Amino acid sequence: MTQLVLTDFAVARGPCDVLRDINLTVGAGEFVGLLGPNGAGKTTLMRAALGLMPHRGRSSLSALPIKERARAVAWLPQAREIGWPVSVADLVTLGRLPHLAMGQRPSPQDRAAIDSALSRMGLDAFGNRIATQLSGGEQARVLIARALAQDTPLLMADEPAAGLDPAHQIGLMETLAAEAGRGRCVIASLHDLGLAARYCTRLVVLAQGGIAADGPPSKVLTPELLARVFHIRALVQQTQDGPLFQPIGVV
Amino acid sequence: MTRALALVLILLVGALFALSLLIGPAGLTPATSLAALVRGEGLAETLVMREIRLPRAILAVLIGAALGLAGAAMQGYLRNPLAEPGLLGVSGAAALGAVIALQTGFAAQVALGLPLAALAGAVLAVALILALAGPRGGALTLILAGIAVSALAGALTALVLNLSSNPFAASEIMFWMMGSLADRSMTHVWLAAPFIGLGGAVLLAQGRAFDALTLGEDSAASLGVNLPRLRLTLVLAIASMVGAATAVAGAVGFVGLVVPHILRPFVGARPSRLLWASALGGAVLVLAADIAVRLVLPDRDLKLGVLTAIVGAPLFLHLVYKTRAQGL
């Protein structure tokens, strides 16, 4: 089952196109890493596909009515905003809003989704803590838990791993990979190519307004592409512990 | 916790409403007052109770609730504890309408001329804000448009005062702008109640959208909040409530700023709960202030808006101090 279809998709900022001729189909069970240097248009692609900014061409998500879209896709922006000193439990409960009718209180089923999201992000004991008083990394995990609690077929995240310590980066990538393994679909923009190589099932590389490469990590992360798009040399090795990726120098 | 808060606030509103009915220069005993109010015993007493004290108490509740609720909604929408309903410029424009009515004599010639002119000012302000901010702009353009309208209304009000050849009109304007609930009739209640009731109902229904905005505009939109529609709803509802409140009571400041700030810790900072809590809290504050106005200086006609500003400004300073202490 496909979760996102972009057809002849293009986004303009002012007179020039930031993205053009994007054709992309993402299906259930895929964990897509969206890669590209700064300014390649990763965030723009995701926001425009969601319908949060104007675009040309067709996106299966922005075509949905707003309420229906909220049940089809969860979106985790890069800016980690927590506007008020609310409790962690209240904040994660916001993820259930699209599933609640007007005036309806969270059901036991909603509670289960919230608890499961909290425990998957290692936040079991955090429910009553005030979200704004947590550290930056902890806040990031709370916001990821909010997106998980939304329990949508598609999860889109903008640099979810930024600002997490190594253990929680690995924990996050394992959680997202497990979500994909359960039949959901995950699209995440990433800067850490090593994490992307190890956990993503598919990598999409953006460069100069288009898709420079699209495929499994072993096919995408070639020396030629790394030099052309990222201007780096890297050591890529298949080991017993999975693929290893280590940038070595700038080209 | 929130249930206890609701109970306390409702009891306070009830108690202060009753107290407001029992206080006044007529010096009636509580028993006579109640008999006059409920059964209509005694011509003069009935007149005092039903035509002077009852409208005053009802207006205190309405206007307090309107300002508290509008303040909580503005803060929720902007995710900023320093926001207040006056930011939209509607109260300034309503005051300008009233000032022009006073200056031109329209207020004296036409029944309800003053509140109607104030409402017209509020409607003009909304039209101007929506035209300036456009249909799809963000929160920032809305605030900038509000500040522009506010400044324009303030400048024009000053111009009217400046050019006023009639010192009586000028002093009447000064006193009106201080805000008061004295000498209002049931007609004022009927004029303000529909606008405040409608705006309030619309705002209370947006609780979830304000909750979702805790996560920022992008996340809220992805959670199913229609942001352009929310913004339009917010502007129209706040203008309707604040415009009507300013039209009948003049400018009563600081209620919309201070009440949500005081109550926020008691509702776990959740914007949706803060809406109704601030409506009740605003009613409590304005009822209490209006009683204090009559008790502190009974002979000097202390204005309600002056008292709320005198109490509100130190609280605002405290808020600034606390914000600084948090390192923001």
Side-chain angles (χ1 to χ4, degrees):
Chain A
M1 206 180 129
T2 60
Q3 302 300 350
L4 169 66
V5 183
L6 301 178
T7 321
D8 300 329
F9 191 78
V11 186
R13 280 217 166 147
C16 37
D17 283 346
V18 183
L19 294 168
R20 68 192 110 56
D21 302 329
I22 305 278
N23 286 287
L24 186 67
T25 303
V26 181
E30 288 193 275
F31 180 5
V32 179
L34 195 56
L35 309 180
N38 291 139
K42 302 183 290 293
T43 304
T44 304
L45 177 70
M46 289 194 281
R47 290 193 71 227
L50 282 160
L52 298 177
M53 55 190 288
H55 63 79
R56 300 194 306 276
R58 193 180 170 279
S59 158
S60 60
L61 290 176
S62 72
L64 293 173
I66 289 181
K67 304 263 176 208
E68 219 170 293
R69 185 188 69 199
R71 288 189 288 270
V73 55
W75 165 234
L76 185 69
Q78 189 180 3
R80 287 161 187 165
E81 276 196 72
I82 302 178
W84 300 112
V86 294
S87 73
V88 168
D90 280 347
L91 200 72
V92 176
T93 305
L94 293 177
R96 299 305 296 172
L97 284 184
H99 303 278
L100 298 174
M102 182 104 181
Q104 190 190 344
R105 290 179 167 277
S107 66
Q109 198 188 339
D110 294 314
R111 295 259 161 250
I114 293 161
D115 290 342
S116 146
L118 281 172
S119 72
R120 267 179 288 168
M121 289 320 296
L123 294 166
D124 292 290
F126 283 68
N128 292 322
R129 298 274 294 275
I130 301 299
T132 44
Q133 292 171 358
L134 301 176
S135 76
E138 286 167 340
Q139 289 187 8
R141 278 153 59 204
V142 170
L143 292 174
I144 296 164
R146 190 280 299 170
L148 290 177
Q150 205 169 334
D151 209 13
T152 47
L154 173 60
L155 171 63
M156 272 178 152
D158 197 2
E159 297 197 24
L164 298 188
D165 60 43
H168 282 110
Q169 282 191 6
I170 292 172
L172 169 72
M173 295 304 279
E174 281 174 349
T175 304
L176 294 180
E179 291 297 313
R182 291 193 318 168
R184 288 175 77 178
C185 167
V186 180
I187 302 175
S189 72
L190 296 165
H191 272 303
D192 188 324
L193 302 181
L195 287 177
R198 284 179 68 83
Y199 293 99
C200 295
T201 60
R202 175 180 169 189
L203 298 181
V204 172
V205 183
L206 291 181
Q208 283 155 7
I211 295 179
D214 179 0
S218 55
K219 298 265 170 56
V220 168
L221 294 176
T222 59
E224 183 271 326
L225 177 113
L226 291 172
R228 182 164 56 88
V229 174
F230 294 98
H231 308 294
I232 56 169
R233 282 183 301 120
L235 192 67
V236 188
Q237 258 180 10
Q238 291 296 331
T239 69
Q240 285 177 327
D241 295 316
L244 273 188
F245 179 96
Q246 179 59 50
I248 292 174
V250 177
V251 177
Chain B
M1 173 119 153
T2 44
R3 211 167 276 176
L5 177 72
L7 195 67
V8 167
L9 287 174
I10 288 169
L11 285 177
L12 271 174
V13 170
L16 289 168
F17 188 83
L19 196 60
S20 176
L21 284 177
L22 297 179
I23 289 175
L28 308 176
T29 65
T32 346
S33 303
L34 278 180
L37 181 67
V38 181
R39 291 202 298 273
E41 281 176 14
L43 190 62
E45 289 86 345
T46 307
L47 208 63
V48 166
M49 290 308 294
R50 289 189 182 169
E51 293 302 322
I52 298 177
R53 291 192 190 170
L54 185 62
R56 185 169 188 160
I58 294 177
L59 278 178
V61 171
L62 279 179
I63 283 156
L67 295 176
L69 178 53
M74 278 301 283
Q75 297 187 359
Y77 177 69
L78 295 172
R79 282 155 285 142
N80 190 330
L82 301 180
E84 56 130 2
L87 268 184
L88 285 181
V90 174
S91 46
L96 175 65
V99 165
I100 290 174
L102 285 168
Q103 173 63 27
T104 55
F106 180 70
Q109 288 158 7
V110 184
L112 291 177
L114 188 140
L116 288 175
L119 279 177
V123 170
L124 269 178
V126 170
L128 199 55
I129 290 165
L130 291 179
L132 276 172
R136 283 193 71 91
L140 188 65
T141 49
L142 186 69
I143 290 313
L144 290 174
I147 289 173
V149 169
S150 207
L152 185 65
L156 290 177
T157 305
L159 181 71
V160 172
L161 277 171
N162 185 186
L163 298 182
S164 173
S165 52
N166 181 348
F168 294 105
S171 89
E172 204 181 345
I173 289 170
M174 289 302 292
F175 278 116
W176 184 85
M177 292 212 301
M178 290 176 187
S180 170
L181 290 174
D183 307 325
R184 302 301 193 267
S185 67
M186 279 314 264
T187 326
H188 287 98
V189 173
W190 291 123
L191 183 73
F195 290 103
I196 292 178
L198 194 69
V202 168
L203 279 187
L204 284 172
Q206 309 298 324
R208 276 194 183 164
F210 293 126
D211 275 352
L213 271 171
T214 304
L215 296 165
E217 296 200 356
D218 246 27
S219 296
S222 77
L223 282 168
V225 175
N226 187 335
L227 287 175
R229 201 170 68 193
L230 176 70
R231 203 175 67 135
L232 183 67
T233 312
L234 179 92
V235 171
L236 292 179
I238 287 188
S240 148
M241 295 174 80
V242 175
T246 312
V248 296
V252 180
F254 281 103
V255 176
L257 177 68
V258 165
V259 168
H261 170 62
I262 295 174
L263 292 175
R264 181 165 292 115
F266 296 102
V267 294
R270 277 183 56 181
S272 57
R273 291 187 192 152
L274 191 59
L275 291 177
W276 60 256
S278 295
L280 289 171
V284 168
L285 185 63
V286 172
L287 272 170
D290 191 44
I291 291 170
V293 161
R294 283 176 277 176
L295 289 180
V296 176
L297 289 172
D299 322 320
R300 295 296 304 276
D301 189 22
L302 181 60
K303 296 291 185 190
L304 179 66
V306 175
L307 188 82
T308 56
I310 285 177
V311 177
L315 272 165
F316 187 67
L317 286 176
H318 172 68
L319 171 60
V320 174
Y321 180 76
K322 247 177 60 175
T323 310
R324 196 192 68 181
Q326 282 166 0
L328 292 171

